[in-house]
Structure formats: C-alpha cells, structure tokens
Short mmCIF file of all heavy atoms in Angstrom, two decimals:
data_model
loop_
_atom_site.label_atom_id
_atom_site.label_comp_id
_atom_site.label_asym_id
_atom_site.label_seq_id
_atom_site.Cartn_x
_atom_site.Cartn_y
_atom_site.Cartn_z
N ALA V 269 70.11 88.54 128.72
CA ALA V 269 70.70 89.40 129.74
C ALA V 269 72.20 89.21 129.87
O ALA V 269 72.88 90.03 130.49
CB ALA V 269 70.04 89.12 131.09
N ALA V 270 72.73 88.12 129.28
CA ALA V 270 74.15 87.80 129.46
C ALA V 270 75.06 88.90 128.94
O ALA V 270 76.15 89.11 129.46
CB ALA V 270 74.47 86.48 128.76
N ARG V 271 74.62 89.63 127.93
CA ARG V 271 75.47 90.67 127.35
C ARG V 271 75.69 91.84 128.32
O ARG V 271 76.58 92.67 128.08
CB ARG V 271 74.88 91.17 126.03
CG ARG V 271 73.62 92.00 126.17
CD ARG V 271 73.00 92.37 124.84
NE ARG V 271 72.38 91.23 124.18
CZ ARG V 271 71.67 91.32 123.06
NH1 ARG V 271 71.54 92.49 122.46
NH2 ARG V 271 71.11 90.25 122.55
N THR V 272 74.90 91.94 129.37
CA THR V 272 75.09 93.02 130.35
C THR V 272 76.03 92.61 131.47
O THR V 272 76.40 93.43 132.31
CB THR V 272 73.74 93.41 130.98
OG1 THR V 272 73.23 92.33 131.78
CG2 THR V 272 72.71 93.74 129.91
N ARG V 273 76.43 91.36 131.46
CA ARG V 273 77.23 90.78 132.55
C ARG V 273 78.53 91.53 132.80
O ARG V 273 78.90 91.82 133.94
CB ARG V 273 77.52 89.33 132.18
CG ARG V 273 78.48 88.58 133.05
CD ARG V 273 79.01 87.37 132.30
NE ARG V 273 79.66 87.79 131.07
CZ ARG V 273 79.58 87.14 129.92
NH1 ARG V 273 78.87 86.04 129.82
NH2 ARG V 273 80.22 87.59 128.85
N GLU V 274 79.27 91.85 131.73
CA GLU V 274 80.59 92.43 131.90
C GLU V 274 80.55 93.85 132.45
O GLU V 274 81.56 94.35 132.94
CB GLU V 274 81.34 92.40 130.57
CG GLU V 274 81.67 90.98 130.11
CD GLU V 274 82.48 90.94 128.83
OE1 GLU V 274 83.51 91.63 128.76
OE2 GLU V 274 82.07 90.24 127.90
N VAL V 275 79.40 94.49 132.39
CA VAL V 275 79.24 95.82 132.99
C VAL V 275 78.78 95.71 134.44
O VAL V 275 79.27 96.43 135.32
CB VAL V 275 78.23 96.67 132.18
CG1 VAL V 275 77.95 98.00 132.88
CG2 VAL V 275 78.77 96.91 130.78
N VAL V 276 77.88 94.78 134.70
CA VAL V 276 77.25 94.69 136.03
C VAL V 276 78.11 93.94 137.04
O VAL V 276 78.26 94.38 138.19
CB VAL V 276 75.87 94.02 135.92
CG1 VAL V 276 75.25 93.84 137.31
CG2 VAL V 276 74.94 94.85 135.03
N MET V 277 78.72 92.83 136.64
CA MET V 277 79.39 91.99 137.62
C MET V 277 80.60 92.64 138.29
O MET V 277 80.81 92.45 139.49
CB MET V 277 79.76 90.64 137.00
CG MET V 277 78.52 89.77 136.78
SD MET V 277 78.84 88.13 136.08
CE MET V 277 79.65 87.32 137.43
N PRO V 278 81.42 93.43 137.59
CA PRO V 278 82.48 94.13 138.31
C PRO V 278 81.94 95.07 139.40
O PRO V 278 82.58 95.26 140.44
CB PRO V 278 83.20 94.92 137.20
CG PRO V 278 82.93 94.14 135.97
CD PRO V 278 81.53 93.62 136.13
N ALA V 279 80.77 95.65 139.15
CA ALA V 279 80.16 96.51 140.16
C ALA V 279 79.74 95.72 141.39
O ALA V 279 79.82 96.21 142.52
CB ALA V 279 78.95 97.23 139.57
N LEU V 280 79.32 94.48 141.18
CA LEU V 280 78.96 93.62 142.31
C LEU V 280 80.19 93.33 143.15
O LEU V 280 80.14 93.37 144.39
CB LEU V 280 78.35 92.31 141.82
CG LEU V 280 77.10 92.38 140.94
CD1 LEU V 280 76.61 90.97 140.63
CD2 LEU V 280 76.01 93.18 141.63
N VAL V 281 81.30 93.03 142.49
CA VAL V 281 82.53 92.73 143.20
C VAL V 281 82.98 93.95 144.01
O VAL V 281 83.38 93.84 145.17
CB VAL V 281 83.64 92.32 142.21
CG1 VAL V 281 84.99 92.21 142.90
CG2 VAL V 281 83.28 90.99 141.55
N GLU V 282 82.89 95.12 143.40
CA GLU V 282 83.42 96.33 144.02
C GLU V 282 82.50 96.90 145.10
O GLU V 282 82.98 97.37 146.14
CB GLU V 282 83.67 97.39 142.95
CG GLU V 282 84.28 98.68 143.50
CD GLU V 282 84.53 99.71 142.40
OE1 GLU V 282 84.33 99.38 141.22
OE2 GLU V 282 84.94 100.83 142.75
N LYS V 283 81.19 96.85 144.86
CA LYS V 283 80.28 97.61 145.72
C LYS V 283 79.29 96.77 146.52
O LYS V 283 78.63 97.30 147.41
CB LYS V 283 79.46 98.59 144.86
CG LYS V 283 80.30 99.64 144.15
CD LYS V 283 80.92 100.62 145.13
CE LYS V 283 81.62 101.75 144.40
NZ LYS V 283 82.25 102.72 145.34
N CYS V 284 79.17 95.48 146.21
CA CYS V 284 78.09 94.70 146.82
C CYS V 284 78.54 93.53 147.68
O CYS V 284 77.98 93.30 148.74
CB CYS V 284 77.14 94.19 145.74
SG CYS V 284 76.44 95.50 144.70
N PHE V 285 79.55 92.78 147.23
CA PHE V 285 79.96 91.60 147.99
C PHE V 285 80.43 91.96 149.39
O PHE V 285 80.29 91.17 150.32
CB PHE V 285 81.08 90.87 147.25
CG PHE V 285 80.61 90.07 146.07
CD1 PHE V 285 81.52 89.57 145.15
CD2 PHE V 285 79.27 89.82 145.86
CE1 PHE V 285 81.10 88.83 144.06
CE2 PHE V 285 78.83 89.08 144.77
CZ PHE V 285 79.74 88.59 143.87
N GLY V 286 81.01 93.13 149.54
CA GLY V 286 81.52 93.54 150.84
C GLY V 286 80.55 94.37 151.66
O GLY V 286 80.92 94.94 152.69
N SER V 287 79.30 94.42 151.25
CA SER V 287 78.30 95.24 151.95
C SER V 287 78.08 94.75 153.38
O SER V 287 78.14 93.55 153.67
CB SER V 287 76.97 95.20 151.20
OG SER V 287 75.95 95.86 151.92
N ALA V 288 77.82 95.70 154.26
CA ALA V 288 77.52 95.36 155.65
C ALA V 288 76.10 94.83 155.78
O ALA V 288 75.76 94.22 156.80
CB ALA V 288 77.69 96.59 156.54
N ARG V 289 75.28 95.03 154.77
CA ARG V 289 73.90 94.54 154.79
C ARG V 289 73.84 93.11 154.26
O ARG V 289 74.22 92.85 153.11
CB ARG V 289 72.99 95.45 153.95
CG ARG V 289 72.79 96.84 154.54
CD ARG V 289 71.92 97.67 153.61
NE ARG V 289 70.56 97.16 153.52
CZ ARG V 289 69.55 97.53 154.32
NH1 ARG V 289 69.77 98.42 155.28
NH2 ARG V 289 68.34 97.02 154.16
N ALA V 290 73.37 92.21 155.09
CA ALA V 290 73.30 90.81 154.70
C ALA V 290 72.41 90.62 153.47
O ALA V 290 72.72 89.82 152.58
CB ALA V 290 72.79 89.96 155.86
N GLY V 291 71.32 91.37 153.40
CA GLY V 291 70.40 91.24 152.28
C GLY V 291 71.04 91.68 150.97
O GLY V 291 70.83 91.06 149.93
N THR V 292 71.83 92.75 151.02
CA THR V 292 72.52 93.23 149.83
C THR V 292 73.52 92.19 149.34
O THR V 292 73.59 91.88 148.15
CB THR V 292 73.24 94.56 150.13
OG1 THR V 292 72.26 95.54 150.47
CG2 THR V 292 74.04 95.04 148.93
N LYS V 293 74.30 91.65 150.25
CA LYS V 293 75.29 90.65 149.88
C LYS V 293 74.61 89.41 149.29
O LYS V 293 75.06 88.86 148.28
CB LYS V 293 76.13 90.27 151.10
CG LYS V 293 77.31 89.37 150.79
CD LYS V 293 78.10 89.05 152.05
CE LYS V 293 78.73 90.28 152.64
NZ LYS V 293 79.59 89.95 153.81
N ALA V 294 73.52 88.99 149.92
CA ALA V 294 72.81 87.80 149.44
C ALA V 294 72.25 88.02 148.04
O ALA V 294 72.32 87.14 147.18
CB ALA V 294 71.69 87.43 150.41
N GLN V 295 71.69 89.20 147.79
CA GLN V 295 71.14 89.49 146.47
C GLN V 295 72.25 89.57 145.42
O GLN V 295 72.07 89.14 144.28
CB GLN V 295 70.35 90.80 146.50
CG GLN V 295 69.06 90.77 147.28
CD GLN V 295 67.97 89.94 146.60
OE1 GLN V 295 68.10 89.53 145.45
NE2 GLN V 295 66.89 89.69 147.31
N ALA V 296 73.41 90.12 145.80
CA ALA V 296 74.53 90.21 144.86
C ALA V 296 75.02 88.81 144.48
O ALA V 296 75.34 88.54 143.31
CB ALA V 296 75.67 91.02 145.48
N ILE V 297 75.09 87.93 145.45
CA ILE V 297 75.51 86.56 145.18
C ILE V 297 74.50 85.87 144.29
O ILE V 297 74.86 85.19 143.32
CB ILE V 297 75.69 85.79 146.51
CG1 ILE V 297 76.92 86.34 147.26
CG2 ILE V 297 75.84 84.29 146.28
CD1 ILE V 297 77.03 85.87 148.69
N GLU V 298 73.22 86.05 144.58
CA GLU V 298 72.18 85.44 143.76
C GLU V 298 72.22 85.97 142.33
O GLU V 298 72.04 85.22 141.37
CB GLU V 298 70.81 85.70 144.38
CG GLU V 298 69.65 85.04 143.65
CD GLU V 298 69.77 83.52 143.60
OE1 GLU V 298 70.33 82.94 144.56
OE2 GLU V 298 69.32 82.93 142.60
N LEU V 299 72.47 87.27 142.19
CA LEU V 299 72.56 87.86 140.85
C LEU V 299 73.73 87.26 140.07
O LEU V 299 73.60 86.94 138.88
CB LEU V 299 72.72 89.38 140.97
CG LEU V 299 72.87 90.16 139.66
CD1 LEU V 299 71.71 89.88 138.71
CD2 LEU V 299 72.97 91.65 139.95
N SER V 300 74.87 87.07 140.73
CA SER V 300 76.02 86.46 140.07
C SER V 300 75.70 85.05 139.61
O SER V 300 76.05 84.64 138.51
CB SER V 300 77.22 86.44 141.02
OG SER V 300 77.56 87.75 141.42
N LEU V 301 75.02 84.30 140.46
CA LEU V 301 74.62 82.93 140.11
C LEU V 301 73.67 82.93 138.92
O LEU V 301 73.75 82.07 138.04
CB LEU V 301 73.97 82.25 141.31
CG LEU V 301 74.90 81.90 142.47
CD1 LEU V 301 74.09 81.50 143.69
CD2 LEU V 301 75.84 80.77 142.07
N GLN V 302 72.77 83.91 138.88
CA GLN V 302 71.84 84.01 137.76
C GLN V 302 72.58 84.27 136.46
O GLN V 302 72.26 83.69 135.41
CB GLN V 302 70.81 85.12 138.02
CG GLN V 302 69.76 84.79 139.05
CD GLN V 302 68.79 83.71 138.60
OE1 GLN V 302 68.56 83.52 137.41
NE2 GLN V 302 68.22 83.00 139.55
N TYR V 303 73.59 85.13 136.50
CA TYR V 303 74.37 85.41 135.31
C TYR V 303 75.09 84.16 134.80
O TYR V 303 75.16 83.92 133.60
CB TYR V 303 75.40 86.51 135.58
CG TYR V 303 74.91 87.91 135.28
CD1 TYR V 303 74.82 88.87 136.28
CD2 TYR V 303 74.54 88.28 133.99
CE1 TYR V 303 74.38 90.15 136.02
CE2 TYR V 303 74.09 89.56 133.71
CZ TYR V 303 74.01 90.49 134.73
OH TYR V 303 73.56 91.77 134.46
N VAL V 304 75.62 83.36 135.72
CA VAL V 304 76.28 82.12 135.32
C VAL V 304 75.25 81.15 134.74
O VAL V 304 75.49 80.47 133.74
CB VAL V 304 77.01 81.48 136.52
CG1 VAL V 304 77.55 80.10 136.15
CG2 VAL V 304 78.16 82.37 136.98
N GLU V 305 74.08 81.09 135.36
CA GLU V 305 73.07 80.12 134.95
C GLU V 305 72.51 80.39 133.56
O GLU V 305 72.24 79.46 132.80
CB GLU V 305 71.93 80.10 135.97
CG GLU V 305 70.86 79.06 135.68
CD GLU V 305 69.88 78.90 136.82
OE1 GLU V 305 70.17 79.39 137.93
OE2 GLU V 305 68.84 78.28 136.60
N VAL V 306 72.33 81.67 133.21
CA VAL V 306 71.70 81.97 131.92
C VAL V 306 72.69 81.94 130.76
O VAL V 306 72.27 81.96 129.61
CB VAL V 306 71.00 83.35 131.93
CG1 VAL V 306 69.94 83.41 133.02
CG2 VAL V 306 72.00 84.50 132.10
N GLU V 307 73.99 81.88 131.07
CA GLU V 307 74.99 81.86 130.00
C GLU V 307 74.89 80.56 129.21
O GLU V 307 74.71 79.49 129.78
CB GLU V 307 76.40 82.02 130.59
CG GLU V 307 77.48 82.14 129.54
CD GLU V 307 77.23 83.29 128.59
OE1 GLU V 307 77.25 84.45 129.02
OE2 GLU V 307 77.00 83.00 127.40
N ASN V 308 75.02 80.65 127.90
CA ASN V 308 74.82 79.49 127.05
C ASN V 308 76.03 79.16 126.19
O ASN V 308 75.92 78.57 125.13
CB ASN V 308 73.60 79.69 126.14
CG ASN V 308 73.10 78.39 125.54
OD1 ASN V 308 73.20 77.34 126.17
ND2 ASN V 308 72.57 78.46 124.34
N SER V 309 77.22 79.56 126.67
CA SER V 309 78.44 79.19 125.95
C SER V 309 79.55 79.00 126.96
O SER V 309 79.60 79.64 128.00
CB SER V 309 78.85 80.26 124.94
OG SER V 309 79.32 81.41 125.60
#
C-alpha cells in the first residue's frame, strides 16, 4: 500500500486534518500512522 502514499497523504493534510468531525480527524491521523508503519525503507 506504500506506493499509494504520495497520492493519499496530501489529501489528508488538505481535507481531513482540519475536519470539524473528531472521528474524521482521528481516522486521518491513524491512516497517516499506518502509512509510516508499513513503509520498509
């Protein structure tokens, strides 16, 4: 899934981190952490 990171993560920064919904923000943060965790280089 790491190869999709450069397309998805900018969208999280732009559209999700600043969400007024706590659940949306929490899921965006968790998704970012998952991308960091699965990276193998």
Side-chain angles (χ1 to χ4, degrees):
R271 71 185 72 174
T272 67
R273 172 199 58 219
E274 293 183 52
V275 174
V276 176
M277 288 181 70
L280 302 183
V281 172
E282 182 179 355
K283 298 292 186 181
C284 303
F285 284 167
S287 174
R289 292 178 66 90
T292 297
K293 188 179 296 185
Q295 291 289 350
I297 291 168
E298 183 60 32
L299 178 55
S300 300
L301 289 168
Q302 287 292 333
Y303 269 118
V304 173
E305 183 170 346
V306 301
E307 185 57 65
N308 197 31
S309 71

